[in-house]
Structures are given as structure tokens and as C-alpha cells.
Amino acid sequence: MSHATDTVDIREIVARTVAKTPVTDLHTHLYAPAFGPLLLWGVDEMLTYHYLAAELLRVSNMPYDAYWALPRKQQAELVWRELFIERSPVGEACRGVLTALDRLGLDVSERDLDAYRTYFADQRPEDHVDTVLKTANLKCVVMTNDLFDASERPVWLKGFDGDKRFHAALRLDGLLNDWGRACPAMREWGYDVEPNLGLKTLGEVRRFLDEWILRMDALYMAASFPPDFAFPEDSPRGRLIESCVLPAGRDNGVPFAMMIGVKRNVNPALKLAADGVGLSNVDVVARLCADYPDNRFMVTMLARENQHELCVAARKFRNLLLFGCWWFLNNPSLIEEMTRMRMELLGLSFVPQHSDARVLEQVIYKWEHSRASVAKVLSSKYADLVATGWQVTESEIARDATRLLDRNFWDFLGRS
Ligand code: FIX
Ligand code: ZN
């Protein structure tokens, strides 16, 4: 049994171990190749990621509409010029593009966008998925499957026969946050629903959830919520959660993932980049966990200021799994802070990160950068233990890393 005792030793062993531990990425916006154009990849997609669109539109004088009207290639060129050439790309999303290009073997010192485009043009999506998942050392990813998205539904109906690396999550924003639009769509699909949520309609929504959980083999149901999310609540959303989502989650044994704290459309002209953040109410989560002990909840909150209270709530409820540093929190300084706090309050019983990748190659940078933060926190915790005389072995370090990056999620689901 080899013990890691020296601080430098520990840092080195932990960094190496965390880097080589395969990850289950439990929330992404990626798709299996069978979904065709829904799977985004390549340098132009990376450069036009909505995180970078927001950053570009801060520094450019171009009217917002004029930017969105440009072909993607030209949008990418603008981002490249303004955020990489005219200024050093020090922001996390810019840095991420460079990490991804570099790890794919491209020379970022050349600053040659056309050469990068040529590389991607030569890839076949199926092979490229293999390369990227291998480079990022991912075991598998979970997609975000929104049935109210017209382009996704037909792929499932045609019988997507699965791809072990891509799991499904049934996304319910369209149902819960916009019942006015969901109701006519569901009628068209053959569900006997009406705008007022009577017993028959609630039964039909429940049937819809059961059918789709089964068809997709969904690992969980998920929705994002605004900062003022409340439950119980006398609203279509409140009634649907109470009468359909929670019973479906309980009976099918799938958790409900709640992503809370996004203020949608703060500046609508920014389109996909329009959203902001607000402080949410952690009591809502605690009450759900207490009132529905037979349900499991996965929660991430967007406001930094919610994180401590959320950790304390997770200490009280074993049916609550905290996950990820979501969106504006997915920056090294905040990942480190949150991971440290979570570890101090919850030990190893949380999922430190998800990538939220929308473009395939982003998993390379998001995981490399996040692994570095997780390893830093983990090694400082081991160093504190060693200072008491406790010893940690390399295999224990590997076991702990596997729990954080992979097993905790599957154990929470009750699946292997
Ligand atoms: O609601 C979500 O799943 C968010 O993560 C996204 O909608 C958001 O646009 C995003 O990509 C954040 O990272
Ligand atoms: Zn997301």
C-alpha cells in the first residue's frame, strides 16, 4: 500500500489521478451523432458560443440585430478578431477555445483561424466524437432532451436506438414554464389536454411523462427556474409539478433536477446570451425534500450567494444531490471556492461539476479546467488530513476521485 505523505507528492498524485479518472458529465446540451445537425461542433461553433457572443457584444459597436443577421462564419470571424486579436483572450470562455484547440493538436501560437477550420472540415462527426470524448477523458455525457423542440422529437419517434456514450434527460421547461404553448402542442400529439388543468388533463400529462421517460430511458427529469421559483404554488407550473412531475419521478424512480436562479431575457436583444442571475429561495428546495421523501432531487443554483445555504440544506436531506457550478459560476475562482465549501460541508457526497457544453469540443476545456480546480481542493484536504497523522493511499485517492467525477451520480440514481 503506497501512502502519499508529502504535500508535493499529494498534489502531483491527485492531479494525475483526477486527470485520468473518466467523467460522467451529467448535464450538457450535446447530442449523439444520430441527431444530425443538433450536434454542434467545430471552431466556428466554439467561437460563436453564447458566452462569447455576450462578450463580443460588449466590446463591439455593431447593432445587436446586425450581428445576429450575419452568417455564422462571419460572426466567428468577428469574435476572433475582437476577442482574440484586438485584445488578449483572458476570459474563461476565450481561454477555453484555446485549450480545446491545443489539446486537439492545433497550434494556437499561429493564430490561424483558417487552418483550424481546415482541420475541422476534415473530420467525420462519428470519429470526431470519439476523439473529443477520449481527449476530454469522458465516460459518457447526459443530453438535454426537450420534446417541445421540433427538431428533436422526430429522432426519438423514428427510434433513436441509443449510443452508450449519450444518455437522455427529459427536459421540462417547455411544459412547466410555458403551459400556454405546451398544451396545444400536446393536443396535436394525441394527448387529451385542455388549458385548464383539470383531473383528465393532469392524467394525460402524467401519461406523457411516463411514456417519454420510458422511450428515452431518461436518467432524470429537469427544468430551469427563475429566482422567484416557489413551491407549492397556485400556478400551472405548481400544479403540474405536484400532480404530474413528482408522482412520475417517484413511480419511475427518476430524480427531478432543478436548476434555479436564471432570470431569462434580461436583455432580449442578446438572444441565447440574454439571461442573467438572481438570488433564489433555498427553503423551497428544503421543503420539497422534506415533503416528498420518496422523490430524489438534483439541484444546482446559479447565484454564488445561494451556495452556502444550499450546502446546509443538502446536509439535511439525503434525497438531495448538489451538482455542478452552473454557467456564470463555471469559472476557476468560483469552482474552487464552491468545491472547497461543498467538500467541507458535505465531504465527498456531491457532484462537483457538469460541463453544460453546447459545442462538442467544449468538454475538453471545461473538464480540463474543472479537474484542475477539483484536484487543487482535494489535495489541500488530503494535506490537512496528513498533517494529523492520517495516511491516504493512492488507491483511496483514485476511489474518491471516481466518486466525485462519476459514481456519486450513478449511485444517486440507483443505477450502475
Ligand atoms: O438552462 C440551461 O440548461 C442552461 O444551462 C442553458 O440554457 C444556458 O444557455 C447555458 O448554456 C449555460 O451554460
Ligand atoms: Zn444547461
Side-chain angles (χ1 to χ4, degrees):
M1 184 159 80
S2 72
H3 291 128
T5 44
D6 181 279
T7 310
V8 182
D9 246 28
I10 293 174
R11 238 189 279 134
E12 199 272 315
I13 294 167
V14 172
R16 185 166 23 90
T17 307
V18 168
K20 70 173 196 226
T21 303
V23 158
T24 291
D25 190 347
L26 68 72
H27 170 59
T28 75
H29 297 264
L30 301 178
Y31 289 89
F35 287 81
L38 285 175
L39 171 63
L40 304 181
W41 57 284
V43 68
D44 289 333
E45 294 293 347
M46 274 197 278
L47 287 172
T48 53
Y49 186 31
H50 67 80
Y51 292 26
L52 287 176
E55 290 171 34
L56 167 76
L57 291 168
R58 281 184 59 69
V59 300
S60 161
N61 290 326
M62 179 179 256
Y64 296 133
D65 285 352
Y67 170 77
W68 295 114
L70 291 174
R72 179 158 310 273
K73 204 164 166 233
Q74 281 179 42
Q75 291 177 349
E77 279 156 14
L78 210 60
V79 171
W80 180 252
R81 193 178 73 230
E82 291 289 349
L83 298 182
F84 290 77
I85 305 301
E86 297 293 326
R87 306 160 172 77
S88 294
V90 293
E92 175 64 6
C94 284
R95 172 189 169 220
V97 175
L98 301 180
T99 301
L101 294 176
D102 176 62
R103 302 305 183 259
L104 286 169
L106 297 164
D107 184 352
V108 298
S109 74
E110 291 289 331
R111 304 186 180 190
D112 186 349
L113 181 53
D114 285 331
Y116 310 146
R117 283 174 165 159
T118 306
Y119 165 83
F120 288 104
D122 287 345
Q123 309 303 317
R124 267 178 14 109
E126 292 75 8
D127 302 335
H128 190 53
V129 166
D130 293 346
T131 307
V132 170
L133 297 189
K134 195 156 165 247
T135 307
N137 194 14
L138 295 195
K139 179 167 131 189
C140 56
V141 306
V142 183
M143 306 180 279
T144 293
N145 302 104
D146 178 2
L147 295 174
F148 294 89
D149 176 335
S151 41
E152 178 163 342
R153 206 177 130 77
V155 183
W156 291 105
L157 291 175
K158 257 193 320 208
F160 166 57
D161 62 1
D163 175 328
K164 283 197 171 42
R165 301 162 303 177
F166 292 81
H167 295 277
L170 180 52
R171 183 72 180 230
L172 301 179
D173 288 47
L175 176 74
L176 299 181
N177 294 329
D178 200 354
W179 175 243
R181 282 196 12 206
C183 178
M186 286 183 66
R187 280 193 77 79
E188 218 172 280
W189 302 335
Y191 296 93
D192 192 6
V193 289
E194 283 162 14
N196 69 326
L197 287 161
L199 276 183
K200 182 183 59 154
T201 297
L202 292 170
E204 283 293 87
V205 173
R206 170 68 201 268
R207 178 165 76 88
F208 167 80
L209 294 177
D210 288 346
E211 284 174 6
W212 280 95
I213 288 169
L214 192 67
R215 177 174 281 130
M216 290 177 166
D217 188 19
L219 298 185
Y220 58 82
M221 294 180 283
S224 70
F225 295 109
D228 63 1
F229 172 57
F231 185 87
E233 189 184 57
D234 185 18
S235 66
R237 182 174 66 201
R239 284 197 291 284
L240 288 163
I241 293 176
E242 185 177 356
S243 304
C244 308
V245 176
L246 295 174
R250 182 197 58 214
D251 297 346
N252 291 288
V254 299
F256 184 32
M258 300 185 290
M259 309 174 70
I260 311 171
V262 52
K263 275 190 190 158
R264 295 287 181 196
N265 267 328
V266 170
N267 180 356
L270 291 178
K271 296 188 186 279
L272 199 53
D275 305 335
V277 56
L279 205 58
S280 303
N281 185 354
V282 176
D283 288 342
V284 173
V285 172
R287 175 134 184 225
L288 268 162
C289 293
D291 290 351
Y292 295 88
D294 297 331
N295 278 88
R296 277 164 288 155
F297 300 92
M298 294 162 51
V299 172
T300 197
M301 279 187 164
L302 196 50
R304 180 191 190 189
E305 296 76 5
N306 276 132
Q307 303 307 324
H308 181 256
E309 200 181 342
L310 188 58
C311 282
V312 176
R315 290 174 65 86
K316 309 295 144 195
F317 298 101
R318 66 155 75 123
N319 58 340
L320 172 57
L321 179 69
L322 301 194
F323 72 95
C325 303
W326 183 22
W327 204 337
F328 312 112
L329 296 168
N330 191 348
N331 293 305
S333 60
L334 297 171
I335 299 169
E336 189 180 328
E337 170 186 292
M338 280 173 63
T339 306
R340 193 175 292 280
M341 181 166 63
R342 285 168 165 177
M343 212 174 275
E344 286 164 0
L345 282 160
L346 299 168
L348 294 168
S349 67
F350 65 101
V351 174
Q353 190 55 306
H354 65 268
S355 76
D356 235 312
R358 282 182 178 265
V359 181
L360 178 64
E361 297 81 3
Q362 289 170 341
V363 291
I364 298 174
Y365 92 77
K366 297 213 185 204
W367 281 106
E368 181 174 323
H369 298 183
S370 291
R371 275 183 164 109
S373 302
V374 171
K376 195 168 167 191
V377 174
L378 201 50
S379 36
S380 80
K381 294 299 162 202
Y382 289 135
D384 291 345
L385 297 183
V386 168
T388 70
W390 183 264
Q391 307 213 306
V392 277
T393 66
E394 287 199 40
S395 71
E396 287 168 341
I397 294 173
R399 174 203 61 195
D400 295 346
T402 302
R403 282 195 194 285
L404 286 171
L405 300 178
D406 178 27
R407 285 284 1 135
N408 283 350
F409 172 58
W410 293 103
D411 290 346
F412 189 74
L413 296 182
R415 291 169 77 132
S416 48

